[in-house]
Amino acid sequence: MNATQSPNSFRSGPDDQGHFGLFGGRFVAETLMPLILELDEAYTAAKADPAFQAELESLGKHYIGRPSPLYFAERLTQHLGGAKIYFKREELNHTGSHKVNNCIGQILLARRMGKTRIIAETGAGQHGVASATVSARFGYPCVVYMGATDVERQKPNVFRMKLLGAEVKPVTAGAGTLKDAMNEALRDWVSNVEDTYYLIGTAAGPHPYPAMVRDFQSVIGIETRAQILEAEGRLPDVLVAAVGGGSNAIGLFHPFLDDPDVQIYGVEAGGRGLEGEEHCASLNAGRPGVLHGNRTYLLQNADGQILEGHSISAGLDYPGVGPEHSFLKDTGRVTYVPITDDETLEAFGLCTRLEGIIPALEPSHALAQVIKLAPTMGKDQILVMNLSGRGDKDVHTVAAHLGMEL
Amino acid sequence: MTGTRIDRRFKALAAAARPALVTFVTAGDPDYDTSLKILQALPEAGADIIELGMPFSDPMADGPAIQAAGLRALKAGQTLVRTLEMVRIFRLGDDTTPIVLMGYFNPIYSYGPERFVTDAHAAGVDGLIIVDLPPEADDELCLPALNAGLNFIRLATPTTDEKRLPSVLRNTSGFVYYVSILGVTGTAAPDSARVSAAVERIKAHTDLPVAVGFGVKTPEQAASIGRTADAVVVGSAIVAAVADSLDADGRATESTVGGVADLVRSLSQGVRAARLLAAE
C-alpha cells in the first residue's frame, strides 16, 4: 500500500488506493474496476484544471446561489441560553439542499468524460432532485433509483424529479430504501458501462467517490470558515452536522479537521433507540464491513448480512456511512452521537417556531444535538450547525407523526 | 503437485476432450435440507464442477433470479457456518466433484478471512469466487486462500482490457471465469462469436482453463459456448428451476430436487455434444 497520509494531519487522506486508514478502498466487481480507474484519472485531471474549477465556481455562484449565508440564529440562541448558534444555510441552495453542490461538480465531470446518460440513487429524494436538476440543465437523460418505501413517503420529491424529466425507478428489493436503491444503481451501471455516468450522492462508495464528493461539498466548510472569521473574528468552538452517508457533514468538517480547538459532532439517526434494530446509527452500533465498494462501519448481523435500519428521515436511512467518517471516529477526531426520531421532531418544531425556518428532518437531527449542547456551553462560545436542507418535503411525514391529515 | 480437485477434474476432461458443466446453486435455497439434496444430486445429473452460492443480503452483481434465491435461503436461516457444514456433509459421499464457493466479501470478512479459508479447506471446499474483491485487494482474501490450498478464481469481463488482464490473471488459479455479458447474472444471452474471441484472447495470456458464464440458460447455448470454452457455467436458469418448483408458500415440493436434476441432465447433454458439433 502506498501510504500518502501524513500522521500529523486528518486532512491528507485518502491514499492513492482510496484508503482512509483501514476504511475506504475499491471493493467492486471486475466489470466496474476499469470504469472506477477511468473516473479516478478523469477526476484527478479535472481537479487540477483551472477551467474546470472556474466553471464550477461560476455555476456555484449563478446557478446554486453560493455562497450560502451563515445565519446567527438569535432566538434559538436566547431560548437555549448558552452558546451563540449559527446556521450554515445550505437549505437556501437551488433545489433546497446541499446535494446540488456535488451534483454540479459531477455533471461537469460526466460531460468532460463524454458520458451521455446519468444514473443516481436517492433516499429522501434530495439527491434525486439535484441529479434530475443538473441533468436537465446539461441536457442528459437521467434515471433515478429510489426504494419503493421512499417513493411512497417522499411523494413531492418524486413528482419534482418527474417534472425535471428524470425517470424514477422504484426498487422493491429488500426493504425498499436507500441501500436497495444503491444496489440497483450499481446493477444498472454494470449493464451500461459504455455511456453511463453513476452520480453517487453521498461521500461513500468505491474510491474516488468518497474523496470526490467530499471535495465538492467542502465548499460548505470553506465558506463557513471565512464567514465566521468575518462575523466573530475567530473559529467556532463546535461544529454539528447530521450523518447518513455523511456528505453534508464531511463538507462542513473537512476544512476544520486540523484545527484542534474546534470540537466536531456528527449526528446519526437513532431512530427508535439503539437498544433495538430500528435505527441507522452505524458508527455507534455497527462494526466494520464491506458494502457498496468500500470498507466502513455497517449495521450487520452476526453472519455479516446487512440490516435495513430505520429512521424517520429517509435521507439518513442507510446502514453504512462514508469511510472517512469511520476513520474520523476511530481516530477520535469527531464525536458521533445518536438522536432519536422523537428528539428530531421536537427540534423540527422548535426551529420552525423560533426561527421561521422549516428544516428538513435530516438536519433536525443535528438541531436536536445543538439543543443538548448549546446550554452546556458559555455565552461567549460559538456553535455552527449545517442546516443542510429545507423541510417542505417532510411536512407529510411530520403531519403523520402528529396525527394530522393534510 | 497433484493440485486441487478442480485441477484434477479439468485434466480428466481435457483427456476426454469435452468441456465441463459448472452448475450454480444457492446454498440453503429453498431450505437447508432440500438444498443439500440438490447438491448431492448434481454430480450424478452431470455437473462436473459445483458452484455453491453463499447468500448475501446485497448481491450487487446478481440479477433477479439469484437475488431471490439468496433471500429465500437467508429467510430459511442459511448462514456461512451452515454453508460450510453443507459442504462437509456433501464430501462424506463425494470426494471428487470440485466445489467452488461464490459470493460477496462481507460475510467472510465478518467470519474472519484467515479462519474462513482454514475452515473452508477443512470442509472440502476447493475454490472461491468473490465478486467484489478485485486483484487490487488480493491481501484481503486471495493470498490467504492460496496459502490455505484453495483456488482463487477471478472474473474477467468484457471491460477487462489487455492492460488489465495480466493483473487479473496474476494470482488466479483453478480456472478463469469469463463473464460473457456486460450486466448482472442471468439477464442477457451471450453472443457466442464474441465469447469465443474473448476466450482466445484470455488463452493467449494463461494456460488455465477458461469457463464462461453469466447468461447461459439452455442446452443449445451451453453447447455453442462449449465449443471454445473449457467450461460452461449455468446459474440463473437452475436457480429459476428451484423457484418454479416451489409451492404457493415458497416451500419445496416433491418435484424440486428432481426438476433441478432433469435440467442439469439436459444441460449436460448439451455440453457433451459441444465438441461433437464442433467436429462436424
Side-chain angles (χ1 to χ4, degrees):
Chain A
M1 201 188 304
N2 302 318
T4 56
Q5 281 167 260
S6 152
N8 300 318
S9 171
F10 290 101
R11 304 183 63 222
S12 56
D15 68 15
D16 59 6
Q17 297 295 310
H19 297 105
F20 300 91
L22 172 68
F23 302 101
R26 290 183 179 114
F27 296 90
V28 297
E30 175 59 26
T31 310
L32 292 181
M33 234 6 239
L35 281 80
I36 300 271
L37 295 172
E38 182 199 0
L39 177 66
D40 191 16
E41 247 174 61
Y43 175 57
T44 304
K47 199 161 65 166
D49 179 354
F52 180 85
Q53 293 297 342
E55 189 167 14
L56 189 61
E57 206 179 304
S58 170
L59 284 162
K61 185 173 175 188
H62 302 289
Y63 191 65
I64 301 177
R66 305 213 67 88
S68 68
L70 184 70
Y71 164 76
F72 174 48
E74 193 176 353
R75 293 197 68 218
L76 188 66
T77 298
Q78 281 171 4
H79 178 82
L80 294 175
K84 289 180 83 169
I85 298 162
Y86 283 86
F87 291 161
K88 179 60 173 166
R89 301 284 306 273
E90 289 296 300
E91 102 281 12
L92 292 178
N93 293 340
H94 180 40
T95 76
S97 82
H98 70 289
K99 291 292 186 187
V100 71
N101 301 329
N102 167 51
C103 287
I104 280 286
Q106 288 200 53
I107 201 100
L108 290 177
L109 188 61
R111 190 184 63 182
R112 204 181 154 97
M113 293 175 74
K115 303 293 181 183
T116 54
R117 174 177 178 264
I118 304 297
I119 58 171
E121 84 295 336
T122 197
Q126 293 300 89
H127 174 59
V129 166
S131 298
T133 298
V134 299
S135 295
R137 166 67 181 76
F138 285 86
Y140 293 117
C142 175
V143 174
V144 179
Y145 290 93
M146 187 169 187
T149 307
D150 292 338
V151 168
E152 196 48 45
R153 61 178 167 173
Q154 300 288 340
K155 279 180 190 158
N157 272 345
V158 173
F159 186 58
R160 288 165 79 196
M161 285 183 264
K162 288 181 178 168
L163 284 175
L164 289 159
E167 183 187 351
V168 180
K169 288 199 178 171
V171 178
T172 52
T177 59
L178 184 52
K179 100 175 159 82
D180 310 297
M182 200 155 181
N183 289 335
E184 210 55 36
L186 284 163
R187 291 184 188 117
D188 180 312
W189 199 21
V190 102
S191 310
N192 298 286
V193 297
E194 310 287 347
D195 62 348
T196 297
Y197 184 92
Y198 181 16
L199 209 175
I200 293 185
T202 194
H207 179 65
Y209 282 104
M212 176 168 70
V213 176
R214 174 201 70 200
D215 292 348
F216 289 138
Q217 292 294 1
S218 287
V219 66
I220 300 171
I222 292 167
E223 285 175 9
T224 298
R225 209 181 160 88
Q227 288 165 322
I228 198 75
L229 285 174
E230 195 192 326
E232 296 281 350
R234 67 180 187 89
L235 295 181
D237 299 283
V238 168
L239 298 176
V240 184
V243 178
S247 71
N248 91 79
I250 202 70
L252 175 66
F253 299 167
H254 196 259
F256 294 93
L257 289 177
D258 286 339
D259 297 295
D261 294 336
V262 179
Q263 279 188 61
I264 306 181
Y265 291 88
V267 182
E268 293 196 289
R272 300 195 176 109
L274 262 51
E275 50 285 353
E277 282 185 359
E278 291 189 272
H279 59 78
C280 280
S282 38
L283 289 166
N284 278 285
R287 62 178 200 281
V290 173
L291 179 72
H292 293 154
N294 57 176
R295 178 167 19 228
T296 193
Y297 276 82
L298 298 173
L299 298 179
Q300 52 185 318
N301 70 14
D303 187 43
Q305 307 296 336
I306 310 304
L307 302 175
E308 293 289 347
H310 157 86
S311 168
I312 188 174
S313 139
L316 302 181
D317 214 342
Y318 181 64
V321 62
E324 195 164 10
H325 287 293
S326 293
F327 167 75
L328 293 170
K329 172 199 159 69
D330 276 14
T331 54
R333 177 62 187 96
V334 176
T335 305
Y336 294 90
V337 295
I339 286 289
T340 65
D341 290 350
D342 290 343
E343 292 169 321
T344 301
L345 282 169
E346 252 176 65
F348 173 94
L350 193 67
C351 180
T352 303
R353 289 189 305 273
L354 285 179
E355 294 293 344
I357 297 171
I358 302 179
L361 286 171
E362 292 80 17
S364 295
H365 284 75
L367 206 54
Q369 179 64 16
V370 169
I371 291 170
K372 288 183 183 180
L373 280 176
T376 70
M377 297 168 65
K379 290 190 175 186
D380 56 340
Q381 291 190 293
I382 301 164
L383 185 158
V384 175
M385 188 202 87
N386 196 1
L387 188 45
S388 56
R390 67 173 183 235
D392 311 45
K393 69 182 174 64
D394 292 317
V395 294
H396 286 84
T397 305
V398 173
H401 278 267
L402 300 177
M404 292 180 212
E405 244 179 73
L406 297 186
Chain B
M1 197 181 112
T2 54
T4 63
R5 290 185 193 89
I6 297 173
D7 301 329
R8 293 194 289 275
R9 176 62 44 109
F10 273 111
K11 201 175 248 181
L13 290 172
R18 72 168 178 89
L21 173 63
V22 182
T23 57
F24 174 97
V25 290
T26 297
D29 172 34
D31 61 75
Y32 181 88
D33 291 338
T34 309
S35 181
L36 179 59
K37 281 182 200 146
I38 292 173
L39 194 63
Q40 289 166 332
L42 288 172
E44 196 271 322
D48 297 304
I49 295 173
I50 297 170
E51 270 181 28
L52 188 59
M54 301 175 280
F56 181 48
S57 52
D58 294 80
M60 285 155 288
D62 285 302
I66 294 178
Q67 287 176 41
L71 291 179
R72 286 194 296 271
L74 290 174
K75 207 173 155 200
Q78 192 67 15
T79 60
L80 194 49
V81 172
R82 300 192 82 185
T83 299
L84 293 179
E85 176 65 8
M86 194 175 266
V87 175
R88 200 183 62 75
I89 292 173
F90 173 85
R91 278 280 167 253
L92 300 176
D94 184 322
D95 197 33
T96 54
T97 307
I99 290 195
V100 175
L101 294 183
M102 180 165 184
Y104 298 82
F105 186 42
N106 197 57
I108 295 171
Y109 184 69
S110 171
Y111 190 99
E114 289 288 346
R115 186 177 144 232
F116 173 76
V117 294
T118 307
D119 291 357
H121 188 260
V125 171
D126 302 288
L128 302 175
I129 301 174
I130 308 300
V131 179
D132 52 355
L133 284 181
E136 286 79 356
D138 272 356
D139 292 349
E140 303 275 348
L141 185 67
C142 174
L143 299 179
L146 295 176
N147 284 334
L150 296 170
N151 286 137
F152 199 84
I153 295 131
R154 195 98 61 196
L155 304 177
T157 72
T159 58
T160 311
D161 57 18
E162 290 294 313
K163 201 174 84 189
R164 207 173 147 71
L165 192 53
S167 70
V168 167
L169 295 172
R170 194 173 55 237
N171 288 319
T172 302
S173 64
F175 60 95
V176 182
Y177 186 143
Y178 180 67
V179 174
S180 60
I181 54 165
L182 283 172
V184 293
T185 52
T187 49
D191 171 337
S192 50
R194 273 198 201 175
V195 167
S196 72
V199 170
E200 294 307 318
R201 183 166 71 91
I202 293 168
K203 283 185 168 290
H205 288 265
T206 180
D207 294 330
L208 289 170
V210 179
V212 172
F214 259 53
V216 186
K217 288 185 173 167
T218 65
E220 293 71 30
Q221 287 172 330
S224 159
I225 299 285
R227 278 176 217 175
T228 47
D230 301 300
V232 181
V233 188
V234 183
S236 297
I238 296 173
V239 161
V242 174
D244 291 343
S245 74
L246 305 179
D247 69 16
D249 299 322
R251 294 203 193 94
T253 62
E254 281 179 1
S255 69
T256 300
V257 177
V260 170
D262 287 345
L263 174 61
V264 171
R265 218 165 272 128
S266 69
L267 290 164
S268 169
Q269 280 161 11
V271 168
R272 280 160 201 265
R275 300 288 166 84
L276 299 175
L277 288 173
E280 272 172 15

